[in-house]
Amino acid sequence: MKENVSASTQNQAFNSLLFLYRTVLQQELPEEINAIRAKKRKYIPVIFSREEIKLDKQFNWQYLFPSTTVCFDKENSVVRRHHLSVSVIQKAVKIAVRKLGIMKHAGCHTFRHSFATHLLEDGYDIRTVQELLGHKDVRTTMIYTHVMQKGALGIKSPLDRFDTDDEKN
């Protein structure tokens, strides 16, 4: 195709032509169309490296994005401060990512991808990560194995856990 459209748009256009001719006009296409069916690109999530994730462990997350206004709860006679809307938080994360000089297409969900990928890199089994993320199918979790920064050389033998006589001296 000459235009830059998604695979689903290309396939929908092709199927629309087939439907028009076969169902509406009840005839075969005038000439054979030798169309190549478009395939979706494989989705690989964006993740932050360990160096890009630098958070203070004592940080009080509940105060990260407080609303600028307060409201009065008439039922309990209490003044409350709610959190900001989701879009404000998403914009703030994108601005922070850019200010840090991280040139990745990243947002709030990138933290979830980073969490899963780093767990797998640290040796947690895929079923544990699947449960933590709430995925019904392990194939969804397996996407994170494609972005891991660890090849075959990153695997440690169980024997690596034992101390040797050289290490003790």
Side-chain angles (χ1 to χ4, degrees):
M1 293 206 95
K2 292 180 181 176
E3 301 296 321
N4 187 18
V5 296
S6 70
S8 60
T9 301
Q10 292 176 42
N11 288 331
Q12 186 176 16
F14 179 72
N15 288 328
S16 296
L17 286 173
L18 289 177
F19 178 81
L20 172 67
Y21 275 89
R22 290 181 182 165
T23 307
V24 177
L25 302 175
Q26 296 182 347
Q27 58 183 347
E28 289 298 313
L29 293 169
E31 56 186 73
E32 186 177 318
I33 297 176
N34 193 10
I36 298 171
R37 300 301 290 242
K39 295 180 182 175
K40 285 185 177 180
R41 287 187 295 175
K42 191 169 188 168
Y43 172 72
I44 301 208
V46 174
I47 66 160
F48 291 126
S49 68
R50 293 181 187 279
E51 293 76 36
E52 291 169 333
I53 299 174
K54 295 182 182 180
L55 301 175
D56 182 359
K57 292 181 182 177
Q58 300 300 316
F59 190 75
N60 293 316
W61 285 100
Q62 67 269 29
Y63 301 112
L64 184 59
F65 298 110
S67 175
T68 55
T69 60
V70 293
C71 65
F72 183 72
D73 183 350
K74 293 177 185 174
E75 190 175 308
N76 298 321
S77 299
V78 176
V79 175
R80 298 190 187 277
R81 183 179 304 270
H82 294 287
H83 57 81
L84 292 176
S85 71
V86 173
S87 64
V88 173
I89 294 171
Q90 290 168 340
K91 287 176 189 174
V93 168
K94 287 198 177 282
I95 290 168
V97 167
R98 296 296 170 251
K99 282 185 178 179
L100 289 170
I102 300 171
M103 293 300 144
K104 293 181 177 178
H105 182 71
C108 297
H109 207 73
T110 307
F111 290 107
R112 179 178 169 88
H113 296 313
S114 302
F115 173 71
T117 303
H118 293 309
L119 284 176
L120 291 169
E121 286 178 345
D122 287 344
Y124 288 87
D125 68 284
I126 198 157
R127 295 288 183 182
T128 301
V129 177
Q130 174 191 4
E131 188 176 325
L132 287 170
L133 295 178
H135 293 158
K136 291 180 182 175
D137 192 331
V138 74
R139 289 178 290 184
T140 306
T141 313
M142 288 175 64
I143 292 169
Y144 299 109
T145 62
H146 297 293
V147 293
M148 290 173 54
Q149 300 292 323
K150 192 186 267 190
L153 297 176
I155 297 173
K156 292 183 179 179
S157 165
L159 296 175
D160 292 339
R161 295 184 186 147
F162 295 108
D163 291 334
T164 62
D165 289 336
D166 294 337
E167 291 176 3
K168 290 179 183 176
N169 294 331

